[in-house]
Structures are given as structure tokens and as C-alpha cells.
Amino acid sequence: MNFEELRREGSTPAIYPNAGQCRYLCWTREDAGRYGEILKKAFPNILFYRDLGYRASRPEKPELVFLDRLDSLDADTRVEAVFPYPGWKPELVWEAPSWHWKNYLSPIIMIGINTYDRIQKIEWSGVATDRPIENYFSTDIKTSYRRQIADEVRIQSKVIRLADQMCVRTISVIWMSYADYLAKRGKIWGKRQVYVRHVTHAVMDWYRAAPGRMIDFSGGRDGWGITNVPVDEIPDEWWKGKIRPKWTQRR
């Protein structure tokens, strides 16, 4: 298999990109800027550009906006990253119903940037609360790559690993009501496996700085809510019946 030829084979390669990894995380705009610098140090050839979004499906050729830093945009958006080979030119071609790179690049990294830090005032399923609830929403980093090419597997794995190294892991907990949340009567969400959100130290400091703050809240009409909780706030009895990862025992 000739990687040099594969990555030049055009926008519709014979080996199609497979679904890759996805990492949900809570981070600040400053965290994103630092992550971009870490990526550039690890991959000097990395190229950041603003996601084409809806513009990719319009026949008018979109303008490519390249970025030096991941924290340089002034609105919530998505940024993509590719790893160009020597001599590659950033050209777009129209292949209905959308625009694509003239020469296929992979892996492709899709990064959700919180240029407005994702702190929002929320309600708990319509329940009146004695103070506004502050919630820090998550975004994600997704990868697309060809598993048949070892170099692509290595690159996208390192991209995810570098994001993980900036974070601590939290556990998804379900509260059957707001009263249960206040009383700390929760359960780890999931049948046996646990769900995890990665949270940067900056967001964790924000969470711990005041009572009632939440990480990535979601709720239902029946009054239940799911938040993400640091491991040191989860009682041992909540782990009964769950597969407890080894990292949760390192307190």
C-alpha cells in the first residue's frame, strides 16, 4: 500500500475515511489556544482552518479562512485541522452536493472551539431554584482517518491523547430531581460502564469556586437531570454494580 499515492488520490479516495474517535470535553478559550500550540509543537506541518459548515453545500466557492491560533475567532465555531504533505496546495473542488479538498487529506481533526466560554444560566426542568444555575457545556474533538494507514492511526491517536493530558475525567451522574441534587442523592449514569467527560483544570477550578455550579447538565421533562461530577465527590456505594475503572481509585 503506497501512502504517498493514497493521500494524493483526490477528494473521493478509493479507501474512504472511517468514523474516528470522539472526545467530549469542557474547556475554555484559553485552553483551546494552548491546545493549538501543543499540536503545532507535536506536528509542525499541521494546518488549522475554519470549518466550511453550511458554505460547503452552496455552489458559490467558499473562502478558506486559515488560522494561526485556535483562540483567534470571535464566535463559537468549529475548526478543522489537517496535516499537509510537502507540495500540497489548498484547493477546493465542487463535487455535488458539496465542496471538498482537491487532494484528499487525512486524518482530519474537527475541533469545537468555545470562543465564548460555555457558561450558561439554566433551569432545572422548570423547577424554581433559590439561585441561578450556572452550567458549563461541553464540546468535542472528532477525528476521521483511514484505519488501513498506520501513520493516520498514530497521528489521530496522539491528537486525542494530547487533549486528554490537559484534562481530568469526571463521571456522569443522574439525579432524579432537583431536590435529590441538592441532597446529593445521585446514581452513576449507565448500566455497567460509566460515561465520562474530560474537563480542563481551568473549568474544574471554575466549578469548585462556587456552590451549585454544574458541568454539562442535561435534563428531562420528568424532572431528572444528569451532570458530570469529579471522582472525589462520588461515594463508594454508588459504584455498586458498576465496572469501576482503575483511574477512579487514584485519589
Side-chain angles (χ1 to χ4, degrees), residues 55-122:
R55 298 174 296 156
S57 58
R58 293 185 173 181
E60 300 82 15
K61 191 172 185 178
E63 177 186 1
L64 289 169
V65 178
F66 295 101
L67 306 168
D68 182 56
R69 295 185 57 84
L70 293 184
D71 56 357
S72 62
L73 296 172
D74 59 359
D76 280 1
T77 190
R78 297 192 68 82
V79 172
E80 293 191 356
V82 290
F83 306 83
Y85 51 82
W88 176 79
K89 295 180 180 180
E91 300 178 51
L92 295 174
V93 293
W94 173 259
E95 293 178 353
S98 60
W99 291 91
H100 303 274
W101 290 119
K102 183 176 181 180
N103 291 304
Y104 180 76
L105 283 178
S106 186
I108 296 176
I109 313 301
M110 294 143 282
I111 307 170
I113 306 296
N114 295 336
T115 49
Y116 298 131
D117 289 341
R118 297 297 296 279
I119 302 170
Q120 297 188 10
K121 301 292 178 64
I122 62 168

Side-chain angles (χ1 to χ4, degrees), residues 4-242:
E4 295 300 315
E5 293 302 319
L6 281 174
R7 64 184 176 184
R8 291 170 171 78
E9 65 187 4
S11 57
T12 53
I15 300 178
Y16 294 96
N18 293 299
Q21 297 191 68
C22 180
R23 178 68 73 242
Y24 291 98
L25 75 162
C26 296
W27 60 347
T28 67
R29 176 175 179 161
E30 289 74 18
D31 290 327
R34 185 161 60 92
Y35 180 58
E37 294 303 303
I38 291 171
L39 289 179
K40 287 196 294 184
K41 185 176 181 180
F43 305 102
N45 65 325
I46 196 169
L47 179 64
F48 300 122
Y49 58 95
R50 187 168 187 168
D51 177 19
L52 296 179
Y54 69 89
R55 298 174 296 156
S57 58
R58 293 185 173 181
E60 300 82 15
K61 191 172 185 178
E63 177 186 1
L64 289 169
V65 178
F66 295 101
L67 306 168
D68 182 56
R69 295 185 57 84
L70 293 184
D71 56 357
S72 62
L73 296 172
D74 59 359
D76 280 1
T77 190
R78 297 192 68 82
V79 172
E80 293 191 356
V82 290
F83 306 83
Y85 51 82
W88 176 79
K89 295 180 180 180
E91 300 178 51
L92 295 174
V93 293
W94 173 259
E95 293 178 353
S98 60
W99 291 91
H100 303 274
W101 290 119
K102 183 176 181 180
N103 291 304
Y104 180 76
L105 283 178
S106 186
I108 296 176
I109 313 301
M110 294 143 282
I111 307 170
I113 306 296
N114 295 336
T115 49
Y116 298 131
D117 289 341
R118 297 297 296 279
I119 302 170
Q120 297 188 10
K121 301 292 178 64
I122 62 168
E123 292 184 350
W124 186 290
S125 303
V127 176
T129 58
D130 58 355
R131 67 172 69 90
I133 297 174
E134 292 183 300
N135 179 51
Y136 209 105
F137 282 105
S138 68
T139 183
D140 57 51
I141 297 175
K142 295 180 180 179
T143 71
S144 177
Y145 67 101
R146 293 170 286 190
R147 290 179 173 82
Q148 298 88 343
I149 302 177
D151 198 40
E152 296 191 2
V153 177
R154 177 188 63 81
I155 290 172
Q156 65 87 38
S157 293
K158 187 170 184 178
V159 166
I160 294 293
R161 187 166 64 253
L162 290 172
D164 288 351
Q165 290 172 359
M166 295 175 59
C167 299
V168 295
R169 285 172 283 193
T170 62
I171 302 294
S172 296
V173 169
I174 184 167
W175 318 89
M176 299 314 297
S177 67
Y178 182 63
D180 283 345
Y181 168 77
L182 293 177
K184 302 305 177 187
R185 294 187 297 264
K187 296 180 181 179
I188 294 175
W189 176 243
K191 292 184 178 179
R192 295 193 69 205
Q193 301 285 350
V194 299
Y195 292 92
V196 173
R197 285 288 183 274
H198 287 69
V199 179
T200 63
H201 294 281
V203 175
M204 187 59 68
D205 288 345
W206 169 86
Y207 167 78
R208 294 189 188 277
R213 288 180 171 176
M214 299 179 184
I215 296 174
D216 210 24
F217 170 84
S218 60
R221 293 182 179 179
D222 294 335
W224 55 265
I226 296 174
T227 69
N228 288 271
V229 176
V231 174
D232 60 8
E233 295 182 11
I234 296 180
D236 287 338
E237 57 267 23
W238 290 10
W239 288 102
K240 185 177 181 180
K242 307 292 182 184

